[in-house]
């Protein structure tokens, strides 16, 4: 009887380690599935492209339903949240539209600096209508100027129009009308774009370039043959990206708002 008891105990002990190893393996598989591609959320794609003009583009591709517009007052990398920097700001005031479902990212509706306004100018703003699931760029000074199906079911990110389909007038629109800062300086750049299929592209450079060089690199490399429209976002030291293990800190400054990629 004693021998049978020892055999039973040994069997249980062996089984325990087998089940423990299986459990650890399953947990590892699930964790790898949830945080695939070295920490990049499921349904999100990251790529790096170097254009012929030397501009290095870091690009995150996702669905518009996976986008959130958040106020962070932190460096994007330090926030530990996948995404890129958002629109223009000054100290604790947002100078670009950043609204989710009727609520600005940095305060209350119609409050200055909250993300309700593109301050001073009608500027290019990407709007995603959650009802129609359509994207477009609207030039607006305020959320009140935007068009959507339901004022509680949309997001809108402001910047400066890139006018992808208008090579003859884009510079005049971006610089003379919408006042893109430092267009001819070589600086880090950021952008938000979308294609004809409704995919969003968040783009940040790790090389300094002019606005024209940046725009040309995007036209030649992003959703080639299918790119619909884009806007310039804040740039220079504010150009920041976190995509899993890929970290672009800009000049390490804090930004007020970022475009978060949540995944599926």
């Amino acid at each position: 009887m004693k021998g049978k008891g020892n055999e039973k105990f040994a069997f249980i002990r062996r089984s325990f380690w087998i089940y423990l190893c299986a459990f650890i393996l399953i947990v590892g598989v699930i964790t790898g599935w949830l945080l695939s591609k070295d920490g990049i959320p499921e349904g999100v794609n990251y790529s790096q492209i170097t254009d012929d003009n030397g501009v290095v583009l870091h690009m995150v591709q996702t669905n518009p339903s996976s986008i959130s517009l958040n106020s962070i007052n932190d460096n994007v990398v330090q926030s530990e949240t996948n995404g890129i920097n958002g629109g223009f700001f000054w100290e604790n005031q947002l100078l670009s539209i950043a609204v989710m479902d009727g609520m600005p990212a940095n305060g209350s509706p119609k409050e200055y600096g909250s993300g309700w306004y593109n301050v001073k100018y009608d500027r290019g703003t990407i709007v995603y209508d959650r009802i129609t699931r359509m994207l477009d760029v609207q030039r607006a000074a305020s959320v009140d100027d935007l068009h959507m199906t339901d004022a509680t079911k949309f997001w809108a990110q402001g910047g400066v129009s890139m006018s992808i389909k208008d090579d003859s007038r884009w510079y005049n629109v971006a610089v003379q009308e919408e006042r893109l800062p430092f267009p001819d300086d070589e600086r880090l750049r950021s952008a938000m774009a979308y294609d004809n299929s409704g995919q969003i592209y968040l783009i940040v450079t790790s090389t300094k370039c002019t606005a024209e060089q940046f725009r040309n690199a995007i036209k030649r490399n992003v959703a080639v043959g299918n790119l619909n429209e884009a806007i310039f976002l804040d740039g220079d030291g504010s150009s920041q990206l976190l995509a899993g293990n890929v970290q672009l800190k800009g000049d390490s400054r804090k930004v007020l708002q970022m475009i978060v990629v949540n995944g599926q």
Side-chain angles (χ1 to χ4, degrees):
M1 295 293 292
K2 184 177 179 180
K4 291 184 178 179
N6 288 338
E7 289 178 4
K8 184 176 182 180
F9 177 77
F11 175 78
I12 293 173
R13 186 172 58 182
R14 288 196 300 270
S15 299
F16 170 78
W17 289 112
I18 292 171
Y19 286 124
L20 179 60
C21 291
F23 174 77
I24 292 172
L25 179 62
I26 291 169
V27 169
V29 170
I30 293 174
T31 301
W33 177 71
L34 292 174
L35 295 174
S36 60
K37 302 177 184 176
D38 297 321
I40 298 176
E42 185 72 13
V44 177
N45 295 312
Y46 164 79
S47 58
Q48 177 182 327
I49 303 169
T50 301
D51 186 61
D52 291 341
N53 63 12
V55 175
V56 179
L57 304 176
H58 298 261
M59 183 167 60
V60 175
Q61 178 184 352
T62 190
N63 295 312
S65 58
S66 298
I67 294 292
S68 295
L69 309 178
N70 294 1
S71 178
I72 61 168
N73 194 28
D74 199 355
N75 188 275
V76 167
V77 172
Q78 296 301 319
S79 75
E80 299 183 350
T81 305
N82 286 291
I84 72 169
N85 63 284
F88 302 99
F89 67 97
W90 174 252
E91 296 182 344
N92 65 343
Q93 296 178 333
L94 267 179
L95 306 181
S96 297
I97 288 174
V99 174
M100 291 282 300
D101 300 324
M103 290 301 299
N106 193 49
S108 302
K110 302 184 186 296
E111 179 184 6
Y112 183 87
S114 67
W116 194 261
Y117 302 100
N118 286 326
V119 176
K120 292 186 179 181
Y121 311 105
D122 290 5
R123 279 176 161 172
T125 303
I126 293 185
V127 180
Y128 176 62
D129 189 318
R130 295 190 191 278
I131 303 298
T132 63
R133 298 183 181 180
M134 297 296 292
L135 288 154
D136 68 340
V137 172
Q138 302 179 30
R139 294 181 68 184
S142 157
V143 174
D144 298 311
D145 302 329
L146 299 176
H147 303 284
M148 75 289 292
T149 305
D150 187 325
T152 64
K153 295 179 180 178
F154 77 102
W155 59 252
Q157 174 64 60
V160 169
S161 298
M162 198 174 284
S163 305
I164 288 294
K165 299 175 182 177
D166 193 347
D167 289 341
S168 64
R169 292 192 65 250
W170 81 266
Y171 188 89
N172 181 66
V173 171
V175 178
Q176 302 301 324
E177 297 180 17
E178 299 188 18
R179 302 295 179 180
L180 176 69
F182 309 107
D184 302 320
D185 290 2
E186 291 192 343
R187 300 193 171 212
L188 299 175
R189 304 279 173 177
S190 303
M192 187 182 205
Y194 62 92
D195 64 22
N196 294 321
S197 303
Q199 286 286 293
I200 289 284
Y201 301 83
L202 305 177
I203 309 156
V204 175
T205 69
S206 55
T207 52
K208 295 182 178 182
C209 56
T210 66
E212 182 174 19
Q213 290 170 333
F214 184 42
R215 181 178 180 273
N216 287 340
I218 288 174
K219 287 195 65 173
R220 287 193 288 255
N221 296 282
V222 178
V224 179
N226 197 37
L227 187 62
N228 192 311
E229 197 49 270
I231 60 173
F232 294 98
L233 298 170
D234 198 4
D236 204 25
S238 296
S239 289
Q240 302 169 14
L241 172 146
L242 180 63
N245 292 332
V246 182
Q247 302 179 357
L248 302 179
K249 296 182 179 180
D251 63 3
S252 296
R253 74 179 64 174
K254 294 180 179 180
V255 297
L256 189 54
Q257 182 245 324
M258 72 174 288
I259 303 169
V260 173
V261 180
N262 299 300
Q264 294 178 348

